[in-house]
Amino acid sequence: MRPDTPAAHTTEAERLLRTAAQYPGDREPLYLQAAAHRELAGDRPGATALYDDLLATEPANPHLIRALKAANLWEYGHEAEARAIIDGLRRARPSDAAAWETTAETLEAHDELEAAESTLTEAAELLATAPELPHATQSLLITRHRVRRMLALPHDDWDTLADRLHTAAVPLDELHDPKRLWSLGSSDPAELQAEITRLRSELGTYRTALSRPFPVAVLHWPEPELDELLAAYPELEAEYPTYRAHLTDIEASLRELAQAGTPNLGIVRATVPSYEAFAASESTPPSNADLLPQYATTLAARARATTWPPARTDTCWCGSERPYGKCHGGAVQD
């Protein structure tokens, strides 16, 4: 079940940290989840300690970790330190859109809308230049649109692009209407209920739009991980009758998708602890097979996907250390 009390969040954070100790390859995402649970438990110094532990190594996303640390510090009275981190991030001009967006949202949360808007504009000028924008950059532009609506600023080219990227039925100008946003803080039950109803009606469309920029990815369970998964959740044996069949199904599924014209195909490596953590975040038992494609999409969204197919002379995706053309790519024609 999803934790809903400080004690439950603390327990979940400790479980994630134990898992990270067992699987150091997944340490960074597990620590970030644990830090989030500590924040929700009210243990903000404990969350800062986890961010510092990650930054003491060589994390994959140092700028995002610093942005999260700044947001957390500001919430428990360390405004000066948070501002120093934010200033450093802006000077560093990271290529990580999520770090910029987190930084701007921290400023917005403390009623510094002008600073939030200028931060997002700097990020847009740096990142939103390619014809095809990744999801994180699209999200940044939509956040910028919201902040500018709160400031009553006229539309500019980035706002027009955000409008075009937004695919939900409700246009951004309505979605980001300041009156509507303020209504979420209303004490009028009827007003709140009306807004909740409207948000629910939009959620399905939003989820569909959210997944579009991500590659289509297929899960690959290395043999030890698959053995552990099936030992813990035998209900999934119907999905994975044998390891050999699992590998065959991966290659066959990807070839079928490629023949159908599906672009941007990839393979993501699955592990039992990260799958269990994902299941917990979705309040769904890991034995639920319907969770598997959602897990694959989430890993792909975190840049964990390896492009398929590899070159025929590259090592096969299955881990055999044989060239792809002499392993699972053996039937693929040049």
Side-chain angles (χ1 to χ4, degrees):
M1 294 179 64
R2 191 184 299 272
D4 57 2
T5 66
H9 283 295
T10 298
T11 299
E12 180 63 11
E14 294 308 312
R15 187 190 70 80
L16 290 165
L17 294 174
R18 289 194 300 272
T19 303
Q22 293 177 322
Y23 297 89
D26 292 315
R27 180 174 183 265
E28 186 170 328
L30 290 168
Y31 261 55
L32 289 177
Q33 289 182 55
H37 280 292
R38 282 189 174 179
E39 289 187 28
L40 291 167
D43 182 13
R44 293 193 174 274
T48 295
L50 293 181
Y51 295 134
D52 286 338
D53 284 349
L54 286 173
L55 292 170
T57 59
E58 295 184 0
N61 298 295
H63 295 299
L64 176 59
I65 295 169
R66 289 189 179 94
L68 292 167
K69 178 183 173 181
N72 181 55
L73 285 168
W74 203 326
E75 289 299 323
Y76 71 106
H78 294 267
E79 179 182 339
E81 187 177 353
R83 286 185 182 278
I85 293 172
I86 287 172
D87 290 343
L89 283 167
R90 293 179 70 173
R91 287 194 300 270
R93 296 174 63 78
S95 59
D96 181 3
W100 284 100
E101 187 169 6
T102 301
T103 298
E105 287 178 339
T106 299
L107 292 165
E108 180 189 4
H110 294 278
D111 297 324
E112 299 200 8
L113 292 176
E114 290 84 0
E117 193 276 336
S118 64
T119 298
L120 291 163
T121 298
E122 288 174 24
E125 292 171 348
L126 178 67
L127 303 177
T129 56
E132 295 292 329
L133 298 180
H135 169 71
T137 305
Q138 295 185 31
S139 175
L140 183 146
L141 290 177
I142 290 172
T143 297
R144 180 179 180 274
H145 183 289
R146 186 191 71 243
V147 170
R148 288 174 61 82
R149 282 284 280 142
M150 295 291 286
L151 289 167
L153 295 174
H155 270 208
D156 62 7
D157 290 343
W158 298 124
D159 291 324
T160 301
L161 177 57
D163 285 329
R164 190 164 69 248
L165 293 170
H166 179 69
T167 57
V170 179
L172 283 183
D173 277 345
E174 181 180 346
L175 190 67
H176 294 161
D177 183 345
K179 293 181 180 178
R180 181 180 185 185
L181 294 174
W182 284 116
S183 73
L184 293 173
S186 171
S187 59
D188 183 344
E191 191 173 302
L192 278 172
Q193 186 58 53
E195 189 59 31
I196 290 169
T197 301
R198 182 158 55 170
L199 287 169
R200 281 176 173 166
S201 71
E202 296 164 11
L203 188 57
T205 304
Y206 176 73
R207 282 178 170 165
T208 300
L210 189 66
S211 66
R212 287 176 185 159
F214 302 156
V216 176
V218 177
L219 283 176
H220 170 217
W221 295 90
E223 191 167 12
E225 295 289 340
L226 186 62
D227 290 344
E228 182 180 345
L229 178 78
L230 297 180
Y233 310 105
E235 301 90 339
L236 296 177
E237 287 181 358
E239 301 291 324
Y240 308 112
T242 67
Y243 182 63
R244 183 185 294 273
H246 172 48
L247 299 182
T248 301
D249 286 346
I250 290 173
E251 185 71 24
S253 297
L254 288 167
R255 291 192 193 186
E256 184 177 342
L257 288 166
Q259 290 170 2
T262 305
N264 216 12
L265 299 173
I267 296 175
V268 287
R269 177 180 173 274
T271 66
V272 173
S274 70
Y275 177 59
E276 290 176 334
F278 176 73
S281 72
E282 294 293 311
S283 301
T284 303
S287 57
N288 181 0
D290 292 340
L291 196 65
L292 294 167
Q294 298 176 44
Y295 173 53
T297 298
T298 299
L299 291 179
R302 295 175 179 170
R304 299 295 185 87
T306 301
T307 302
W308 181 94
R312 289 175 61 80
T313 55
D314 287 350
T315 303
C316 187
W317 55 262
C318 72
S320 66
E321 299 186 359
R322 298 174 61 200
Y324 176 63
K326 295 183 178 180
C327 192
H328 284 88
V332 178
Q333 300 299 315
D334 289 315

